[in-house]
Amino acid sequence: MALHIPTMNWSSQDIGEALCLYKQKIELYLENENIVDAAGKVRKIMRGIGDKGLKRLDASGLTDDWKKIPTELWTFFENTLKVNVNFRIHRLRLMKYRKQTNESLDALVIRARTLALKCDFSEEEMSERILELIIASTPHEEFRRDLIGKERSNAIAQILKEGHKFEAMMADRDQLQQMEKGLENIHFTRKEIKCQNCGRNHKPWKCPAYNDECRLCGKRGHWAKCCRKAHPPTKRSPFEKHSIKGSYIRRKDHTIKVKSHTTNVTRLLTL
């Protein structure tokens, strides 16, 4: 199944960082799609860079031959879009990074590493700073304790591998909690309704009369006090329906003439 081509985020407040993220994503895409020829890479980069990028490229003055070389495209955009900011400013920004709501561990590391590349860190120091961000951001207490106890120079790839296990455990736990909550809601609803076979309140499929034989009709699955054949529903008479006590006379026009004993009022009721 083909992946969607990554696109450049021109609405980002930090356009230089957005370009770095786009470059990382498009290179992963090209590798995954096994696109190795220069012409194929250029086509994908052009599609992902969007209308704004194409307009900038058209006004760049690059020759058509230069536009066919992926490295020249990246050099042009990097020189055009990147703003030179002191590395300490980037470090201060990196210190404030935290895992966002519903953000995966992989996404956090990619976001942090993109900014860390501008911070003038050594490779070991960069790994340490990213590790500290994960410790400060992870909601998994056991994972946090494990990371705090690690020695220096731990590979980020190994940390990600361990983090994936905790993310999977949390996802499974949340799913089980949702299932249990749903079952509790079902049981709660059922408790409000009496069973028509035994007359009691019980959990689904736990009726005590399931294997019992009715003493009135001889069928299994209900008790005599709930037997429908032995206790058929009775129809109310028109006077019971209207709560009238008195004498009545049935008429040929399918009406009943009722005279109340209490109010001495005569009424006609339709059958």
Side-chain angles (χ1 to χ4, degrees):
M1 182 178 178
L3 299 174
H4 292 294
I5 300 176
T7 56
M8 171 68 180
N9 181 16
W10 290 100
S11 62
S12 173
Q13 294 181 351
D14 189 337
I15 202 69
E17 183 178 351
L19 178 65
C20 291
L21 284 173
Y22 170 64
K23 184 178 180 181
Q24 287 186 10
K25 290 177 181 178
I26 199 73
E27 287 179 347
L28 288 173
Y29 171 83
L30 295 173
E31 182 181 350
N32 186 72
E33 295 295 310
N34 198 27
I35 300 173
V36 295
D37 60 297
K41 290 182 178 181
V42 167
R43 284 195 299 271
K44 300 301 182 182
I45 294 172
M46 294 286 216
R47 287 185 61 182
I49 204 67
D51 293 340
K52 288 187 177 181
L54 293 176
K55 288 179 181 179
R56 288 174 180 265
L57 197 58
D58 291 340
S60 66
L62 290 177
T63 64
D64 291 339
D65 290 336
W66 284 112
K67 291 178 182 178
K68 295 178 182 178
I69 304 173
T71 54
E72 291 299 323
L73 291 179
W74 292 126
T75 300
F76 164 73
F77 284 115
E78 287 169 356
N79 292 336
T80 304
L81 301 178
K82 280 189 176 180
V83 180
N84 292 325
V85 179
N86 187 282
F87 69 91
R88 289 189 176 88
I89 301 299
H90 291 309
R91 290 186 180 186
L92 290 173
R93 289 183 57 200
L94 184 64
M95 289 171 59
K96 297 180 180 180
Y97 267 28
R98 290 295 182 272
K99 188 174 182 292
Q100 298 174 353
T101 305
N102 298 326
E103 184 180 33
S104 67
L105 186 59
D106 288 323
L108 171 64
V109 171
I110 290 174
R111 190 162 57 89
R113 188 176 180 82
T114 300
L115 183 57
L117 290 172
K118 305 175 186 179
C119 295
D120 197 24
F121 288 138
S122 65
E123 190 64 32
E124 181 180 351
E125 188 67 17
M126 183 187 299
S127 297
E128 280 297 309
R129 297 289 80 79
I130 294 176
L131 175 60
E132 290 167 0
L133 287 177
I134 296 173
I135 292 173
S137 299
T138 180
H140 315 299
E141 187 60 36
E142 185 178 349
F143 184 39
R144 180 183 291 112
R145 290 197 299 267
D146 184 52
L147 293 179
I148 291 174
K150 286 187 177 298
E151 299 292 336
R152 290 179 65 90
S153 302
N154 275 274
I156 294 298
Q158 181 61 32
I159 294 173
L160 284 173
K161 186 176 180 180
E162 295 176 12
H164 293 159
K165 295 179 181 178
F166 283 95
E167 285 184 332
M169 289 169 56
M170 289 291 291
D172 291 342
R173 188 192 68 179
D174 292 343
Q175 188 173 4
L176 285 173
Q177 288 178 346
Q178 290 295 328
M179 292 172 61
E180 290 173 357
K181 186 177 180 181
L183 288 174
E184 288 175 359
N185 290 338
I186 291 174
H187 293 165
F188 178 79
T189 304
R190 291 293 183 90
K191 286 179 181 178
E192 299 301 313
I193 304 175
K194 284 189 176 182
C195 176
Q196 296 181 358
N197 295 321
C198 68
R200 297 179 180 178
N201 298 326
H202 57 73
K203 294 181 179 180
W205 311 108
K206 298 293 182 180
C207 180
Y210 182 74
N211 292 315
D212 292 351
E213 183 177 300
C214 175
R215 294 196 302 270
L216 296 178
C217 70
K219 292 186 177 181
R220 289 185 177 276
H222 65 271
W223 289 340
K225 66 178 182 179
C226 299
C227 183
R228 297 173 183 80
K229 289 188 176 180
H231 303 287
T234 57
K235 295 183 179 181
R236 298 174 63 186
S237 66
F239 354 98
E240 290 175 341
K241 180 179 178 181
H242 293 274
S243 302
I244 299 174
K245 295 182 179 180
S247 59
Y248 67 94
I249 301 172
R250 186 183 297 272
R251 293 159 58 98
K252 292 183 179 180
D253 58 356
H254 301 290
T255 61
I256 295 177
K257 185 178 181 180
V258 181
K259 184 177 181 180
S260 173
H261 293 330
T262 57
T263 60
N264 200 27
V265 175
T266 301
R267 298 174 60 183
L268 286 178
L269 300 179
T270 302
L271 292 176

